[in-house]
Amino acid sequence: MAQRSPTITMLFNRLLLFFFLLAPTIGHAKKFHNSYLQFELPDQWNCSLRKKAYLCRHRVSKSCRATPSSEECKKQIKKSREAVIVISAKEKSKVDSIAAYRSHFGEARKLDAAGGTTQSKVVHNKIVGIQKQKWVDGMHLGSELPHYYTRYLATIKGEVAVLVSFTAHKLFYTNYSNQFFQGIKSLQVIATQLSKMDKQEIAPAMLSRPIDIPDELFETQAVDEQGQGEGLSTLLFLLSIGLAAAGAFIWFRSKKAT
């Protein structure tokens, strides 16, 4: 069996070290469930029911909600504004179908913002299988809030139509991507009949963003008016892809040499 050269071994180990330093942490998770859905929620997150839809975000302590002026409280509040998960469900109607959802998520969405009306950018739009259930998986940039990515997961099971949206600021999306992935792959609809659901959790229409959430909830100092900071985010993203590709190439060369 051919031996891997010291140079290749050293380079491979360095690439692995850089990759793990750059990769976002998965962290611990806990099980969230209501009367129709369950999935893995990041451990430091909480969910609350807002007008028949659930808003989930990083926990802010009671003391910080009362007196938010301390540096620790400012950090908690900023963290809670970087990313949110919204969950809603409704009764399946004649117009609800997997094909209709995919068509809907395949189109750019208009967003009314302070600077005027903008259109979202469609990142992907596909059908995936999760827990033996077919879901539409659509992702946009700027569909719910400017500078935020939102990944939509929608499905129908029996009489119940479900929408779960995962939203994060584009500067921090890589910090939450693994947590979102863990949540998405664990999505499971546990109710097929409206009679099995809590009436308070049945919305008149599926909501990606509860109507009583004010815009200021999502304000962040991560990006100034000139958008500074985007370059670093893009660089880290490209660098992580390059490191992964280089590692795969070295692994392939070493396997070929054996």
Side-chain angles (χ1 to χ4, degrees), residues 5 11 17 24 27 38 45 61-62 75 104 110 123 125 143 159 169-170 172 193 213 231 234 250 252 254:
S5 72
L11 178 60
L17 176 60
Q38 65 181 26
W45 286 44
S61 66
K62 291 182 179 180
K75 289 180 181 179
H104 176 69
K110 291 184 178 180
V123 179
N125 179 36
S143 56
E159 301 174 349
H169 195 284
K170 63 183 180 180
F172 305 111
Q193 300 175 359
I213 300 178
T234 302
I250 293 172
F252 178 77
S254 65

Side-chain angles (χ1 to χ4, degrees), residues 105 122-126 136-140 150-154:
F105 293 133
V122 179
V123 179
H124 71 236
N125 179 36
K126 55 189 177 182
V136 177
D137 179 359
M139 187 172 182
H140 288 233
T150 298
R151 190 170 176 182
Y152 303 94
L153 279 297

